[in-house]
Amino acid sequence: MKTTAQNLFDLSVTVNGTRYEQAVEPRTLLSDFLRHELGLTGTHVGCEHGVCGACTVLLNGESVRSCLMFAVQAHGREITTVEGLGTIEKLHPIQEAFHEAHGLQCGFCTPGILTTVVPFLEQNPHPSEEEIREAISGNVCRCTGYQHIVDAIKLASDRMNK
Ligand code: FES
Ligand code: FES
């Protein structure tokens, strides 16, 4: 492991298209690095042990639980958080669909669901309702009852794959 005299790791990681070079403690969780070191608080932390899905981000395009990874495991790789999906001026089509179909209430679970759904729709552009429910089965939402989330994902898939 590439550590400095203070036992810090010289981490190099690209987050939302920006390259960061930063010394971190090897025990730093990826979720804490994103939130506390980079200020990307859109990645939420609920259970902290891989159950709720709120902390999901994309690692080289694949969904991962950032509370189950150390930041050093992202060394040399690309991370996308919810902040990197779209902008206020130009939302990602999935964000737009969630907005229009009322796919959220408090929004705590939403970043994790969006970062779960992006690769899911890439791999399965025309999912059935059952497949959508299976895809988000690892994301806990306390508010919506899931129906509007499912509707939003269906709307996004219809629009993105006309
Ligand atoms: S905070 Fe990571 S899965 Fe719940
Ligand atoms: S919208 Fe509140 S937890 Fe899902």
Side-chain angles (χ1 to χ4, degrees):
M1 184 182 285
K2 202 171 55 141
T3 54
T4 64
Q6 295 80 35
N7 206 27
L8 298 177
F9 181 89
D10 291 325
L11 174 66
S12 172
V13 61
T14 301
V15 181
N16 300 335
T18 300
R19 178 81 168 269
Y20 294 90
E21 312 270 351
Q22 199 154 326
V24 296
E25 286 191 36
R27 65 178 181 167
T28 305
L29 293 175
L30 179 58
S31 51
D32 289 340
F33 174 74
L34 294 170
R35 290 176 54 83
H36 302 150
E37 300 292 327
L38 303 189
L40 295 170
T41 53
T43 296
H44 293 160
V45 174
C47 66
E48 291 187 280
H49 61 271
V51 174
C52 74
C55 67
T56 306
V57 298
L58 300 175
L59 175 73
N60 287 0
E62 297 291 326
S63 299
V64 295
R65 306 280 208 238
S66 62
C67 75
L68 292 185
M69 279 185 66
F70 294 115
V72 297
Q73 291 176 283
H75 184 63
R77 300 163 116 182
E78 292 199 16
I79 301 277
T80 305
T81 68
V82 69
E83 290 92 342
L85 293 185
T87 62
I88 297 288
E89 295 73 30
K90 186 165 178 24
L91 295 175
H92 187 286
I94 299 175
Q95 291 174 312
E96 235 171 43
F98 268 68
H99 175 65
E100 287 177 35
H102 308 289
L104 64 146
Q105 288 184 32
C106 79
F108 191 86
C109 67
T110 312
I113 292 181
L114 295 174
T115 47
T116 298
V117 168
V118 167
F120 168 65
L121 287 184
E122 281 168 9
Q123 287 153 20
N124 188 352
H126 303 288
S128 64
E129 175 164 341
E130 195 182 342
E131 288 169 329
I132 292 172
R133 288 185 181 275
E134 172 68 23
I136 59 167
S137 61
N139 295 84
V140 174
C141 176
R142 292 290 192 190
C143 307
T144 62
Y146 296 96
Q147 187 58 54
H148 287 301
I149 294 176
V150 172
D151 293 345
I153 297 169
K154 192 84 189 73
L155 178 63
S157 76
D158 290 347
R159 286 203 182 144
M160 290 166 71
N161 300 292
K162 269 186 197 161

